[in-house]
Each structure stands twice: as structure tokens, then as C-alpha cells.
Amino acid sequence: MPENFSQILEAALTKPDTFIQNILPELEHLSEEKLSALALVLESGTVIDKQNVTKLFVNYLKEDGVAYLSEKLDVKRPKLFVESANIIGELHYEKALDPLKVALKKEYPDLVLSAVKAISLLPISEASIEILSNFYLTFEDEVLLSKSIRYLASCSKELIPIFLNKYNRLSVERQMWLLDYFSVVADVRSEKLLIDEYEKFLDEKGVYCIDGLGRIGSDNAVKALSKWLETPEWFLRKHIVTALGVSNNVNAIPAILKALDDDHVLVRGAAVKSLSLVGNKNADLLISSLKTANKQMKSNLVRAMGLLKNEKFVEPLTEVLKDRNTLFYSIDAVGDLGFPQAEFALRRLLKDEVWFNRLNALEALAKLNCRELKTFAQEACEDENDMVRNSASRILTALKTKI
């Protein structure tokens, strides 16, 4: 190595934008000394320095560079281990499997996730899957186990059969961790287990099963979730309704509609949000339900329909504006829809006897961005209620800003 390589490297790092092009000519003939100098930057350099050297290894040095880093993997040099593991994973360097495995112990909490991530990125092999499955089935740190799921998820095709096979032989605590994994990965192969475990262990494991089935979103999953809405525990009903929304399955809509009239306010709120996710899959059902709903269900259904931005809802929601029992919600919903066809129905409410309805109608018209908004706002500046006047002033200011 030229005696001044370290100085050349140091100088190149002071110009991060041109680092690669400046240092590459010096690396046409690699040596252990040069690689060692680069590794030292990975171990003790600034964030930007590490990023540039990492790019150098991944994009240019490749096989020669990663082989060196693999040989130097040492849990006693944790900073270098973490940076090297990232490069090894990026380059899928499977020869590093054994030295990476060393870090999967409770004695090295700062290295565990880097090692798991790197191993999960290596070419899948019987050895790598055995290491990852043993880690998740035996490691004891709950925080690290939870964080590792996002990496292990990439190997779910191979891990799920192993986990399903071993599930019944594990402790309840470890079963909970597998349910957490199944919930996040949302693979239909775990569907039956999630259904069975919910019905056997409602309080202990219910939330994991609910969330997982929601993400799976199959017809069987939705059927089970809909049935479980009969549970007396409101917090479970809330999770179930949320999962039904996540399912993105049209068959979830009837159960969500029913939850709009739930006894608990948080369940009803979750139902509004869930319906706003899947309601467009059967807009006609929502419209027909609006005609027969009681006051509470109608109010919540109107809120959800406003969020769905479906032009089909303009006519039924403007019709609902005639019902003063739900006017508070329907004005907002018509505004949220954002279609100019609703302008006429809202304009009538600018003269309503209740100031709050006048305020909401004006703000809903602002959402529609109707052509006569400036005129409506100017007239509202003379309203007897200061809240209406203030809203009108804000609208006029906003209109001036747009010009």
C-alpha cells in the first residue's frame, strides 16, 4: 500500500459528493491494508463517512470487499460488526452465515437485530432457516423478538410450516410470540390456527388472532371475525371491527354496519373508520341501509359515507339534510364528499335558524370550492353570530391568498 493511502482516504472523505470518484483509482489494486483502512472508517467514522464507504463496498468492491468484512466479523468490535452485517446482507454473502450466527445471543443485544436482518437477506438455505427459526423460538428478549419480526417476515414461506408444526409443543408465552408473528405476516396458512386459538383463549391471545385474521382478509377470516362481534368485551369488539376494515373484503361490510350501532362509543368510532376503508365495495348496501337505520346508526353511517368520496352518495346524503336529527353529521359529510352537486342543498342552510348549522353549511360549501363561495362568505360576514362571521372572514382571507 502506498504510504499515504490513509491520508488520501481522509482527504477524500472531506469531499463526500465526490468521494467515490476520488478514491476508486486508489483501489484498482486492493490490499488488506487498504481494506483495513476502509473498515476503520466503518467502525469509527461519521455517519456520512460510513454511508459513503458502505456505498463503496456494496457498489464497487463487492465480492472482494465483503469477503474481507466477513472474515473480520467480531462481536468484540460491535460498531464494525453492525456496519459489516448491513453490507453482507445487501450483497447476500452467504459465506458469512456462521460468523453472523455468533451474535444471536442475549450477551450481544446491540448486535442481534443486525445479524437477524443480514441472515434474512442471505440466499435462503436449510441452514439459514434453522438459525432464524431457532432464534425466534428460543430467544428471550421480548423487545428484540418483536423488532425482529419485520426481518423474519421475508422468510415466512419457509418459517411458517416450522412454526405451525412446533406450536402445540411450546409454552403459552412462546405461542403468543408465534401468534404475533402470524399476525404480522398474515399468511393464509395460519388462518385455521388463528381461528382455533381465539376461540380457545379469548382473553390471552385474542388480539393477535383478531389482527392477523384481519390482515389475511379471506372469506373464512371475515366470517370468524363477524361471528366474534357478539363478544361482551368492548375492547375486543373494537379490535374486531378494526380488523374487518383492514380485511379489504366486501363480506365484512354487513358486520361493520351492525357495529355502527354498538353500545360502546369507541366501537362505533372504529366502525366508522373501517367502513370508510371498505364501504365503496358495496355502495348500494350503504345507501339502502341509510333508509332503514335508526338515529345513532344513521349518524355514524353518514359520517362514513362522507369519507368515502363516492359520487353515488351525493343524492342520498343531500336527502338526509332534510332530517334535522342528523343534520350535525350530514352537513359535514356532504362537504367531505366534495362534489359540487350538493351546493344547492347546502345553500338553503345558510339561512337556518340554528347558527351552528349556518356555520357548518358555510364551511361545507368551502370544501366544495363552489363558484359563489365569495358571495356566500361576504353575506355571512353580517351574520348575527360571531362564530359564523369569523369563519366567513377566514374563508375570504383564504380566497384572497389563492388569487
Side-chain angles (χ1 to χ4, degrees):
M1 179 184 75
E3 292 183 358
N4 63 348
F5 179 76
S6 294
Q7 288 85 355
I8 294 173
L9 175 59
E10 184 177 353
L13 289 168
T14 64
K15 300 176 180 179
D17 292 340
T18 57
F19 169 74
I20 298 292
Q21 65 190 65
N22 290 338
I23 201 66
L24 272 180
E26 302 296 327
L27 298 173
E28 290 182 4
H29 302 288
L30 275 178
S31 66
E32 182 162 343
E33 290 79 9
K34 291 181 179 180
L35 289 168
S36 178
L38 292 170
L40 188 60
V41 176
L42 291 175
E43 187 170 25
S44 58
T46 66
V47 172
I48 295 176
D49 289 349
K50 290 179 181 179
Q51 290 174 346
N52 270 323
V53 172
T54 295
K55 290 178 184 177
L56 185 66
F57 272 97
V58 171
N59 297 325
Y60 299 96
L61 301 184
K62 297 185 178 180
E63 181 80 14
D64 291 334
V66 75
Y68 173 84
L69 293 176
S70 176
E71 292 175 1
K72 299 300 179 181
L73 274 181
D74 185 350
V75 293
K76 295 179 181 178
R77 298 178 68 181
K79 292 182 180 179
L80 179 58
F81 187 101
V82 169
E83 300 299 329
S84 298
N86 288 335
I87 294 169
I88 288 167
E90 283 281 324
L91 292 174
H92 315 300
Y93 190 69
E94 56 188 321
K95 294 179 182 179
L97 182 60
D98 287 337
L100 286 169
K101 176 184 175 182
V102 175
L104 299 181
K105 298 178 182 177
K106 62 182 180 180
E107 293 87 351
Y108 311 117
D110 296 334
L111 307 182
V112 167
L113 290 179
S114 294
V116 170
K117 178 182 177 182
I119 294 172
S120 71
L121 291 172
L122 300 183
I124 291 175
S125 65
E126 184 176 338
S128 66
I129 294 303
E130 182 179 4
I131 290 171
L132 293 175
S133 62
N134 286 341
F135 162 76
Y136 199 73
L137 292 172
T138 61
F139 201 73
E140 296 177 357
D141 189 303
E142 295 184 1
V143 174
L144 293 175
L145 274 177
S146 180
K147 291 181 177 180
S148 73
I149 293 176
R150 65 182 183 270
Y151 304 128
L152 297 176
S154 65
C155 304
S156 62
K157 180 181 177 181
E158 293 76 22
L159 289 175
I160 284 182
I162 296 172
F163 290 164
L164 288 173
N165 182 54
K166 295 189 176 183
Y167 183 86
N168 289 325
R169 300 194 296 274
L170 300 172
S171 67
V172 172
E173 182 179 8
R174 191 60 59 172
Q175 286 180 344
M176 295 283 278
W177 282 110
L178 285 186
L179 290 177
D180 191 12
Y181 180 81
F182 294 145
S183 173
V184 172
V185 172
D187 188 299
V188 72
R189 288 174 295 175
S190 62
E191 175 189 86
K192 184 178 185 303
L193 176 68
L194 292 173
I195 293 174
D196 292 344
E197 287 301 276
Y198 176 88
E199 295 183 342
K200 285 193 294 184
F201 302 101
L202 175 62
D203 295 330
E204 294 176 271
K205 306 176 182 179
V207 172
Y208 291 125
C209 299
I210 291 166
D211 292 348
L213 289 169
R215 294 187 182 105
I216 289 172
S218 65
D219 288 345
N220 285 336
V222 167
K223 183 178 179 180
L225 290 168
S226 300
K227 179 179 69 174
W228 297 342
L229 268 177
E230 301 298 325
T231 177
E233 303 292 344
W234 72 264
F235 66 92
L236 286 177
R237 297 200 304 275
K238 179 177 180 293
H239 270 285
I240 291 166
V241 170
T242 300
L244 286 167
V246 171
S247 72
N248 197 33
N249 189 319
V250 65
N251 294 322
I253 294 176
I256 299 173
L257 285 169
K258 182 178 179 181
L260 292 173
D261 196 32
D262 193 271
D263 292 337
H264 199 284
V265 62
L266 294 182
V267 179
R268 298 195 298 271
V272 170
K273 182 176 181 180
S274 288
L275 195 59
S276 73
L277 297 175
V278 299
N280 276 331
K281 290 183 174 295
N282 193 346
D284 292 338
L285 178 58
L286 272 61
I287 293 171
S288 62
S289 298
L290 191 62
K291 298 175 182 178
T292 58
N294 60 32
K295 178 181 177 181
Q296 180 167 264
M297 181 178 176
K298 179 183 285 188
S299 298
N300 289 319
L301 180 52
V302 164
R303 291 168 58 201
M305 291 170 75
L307 297 171
L308 283 164
K309 312 293 185 185
N310 191 324
E311 194 169 1
K312 276 189 173 184
F313 297 148
V314 175
E315 183 176 344
L317 285 184
T318 51
E319 185 66 24
V320 172
L321 287 173
K322 299 174 183 178
D323 183 353
R324 298 192 69 83
N325 289 322
T326 57
L327 201 54
F328 175 85
Y329 299 103
S330 56
I331 294 174
D332 280 343
V334 170
D336 288 339
L337 277 179
F339 293 102
Q341 300 95 303
E343 178 183 336
F344 180 75
L346 290 171
R347 286 174 60 177
R348 293 185 297 105
L349 293 167
L350 291 175
K351 303 298 182 181
D352 194 87
E353 60 186 13
V354 178
W355 72 266
F356 199 77
N357 291 336
R358 301 196 299 274
L359 171 67
N360 279 353
L362 180 61
E363 294 189 345
L365 284 164
K367 293 177 184 177
L368 301 185
N369 198 25
C370 57
R371 287 176 294 179
E372 296 184 57
L373 180 60
K374 182 178 179 180
T375 300
F376 299 149
Q378 287 173 336
E379 292 175 356
C381 284
E382 305 300 323
D383 194 277
E384 64 183 29
N385 184 273
D386 62 337
M387 296 288 287
V388 179
R389 295 195 301 271
N390 290 338
S391 177
S393 296
R394 288 195 299 272
I395 291 171
L396 289 172
T397 300
L399 289 173
K400 289 179 183 177
T401 302
K402 291 181 180 179
I403 297 176

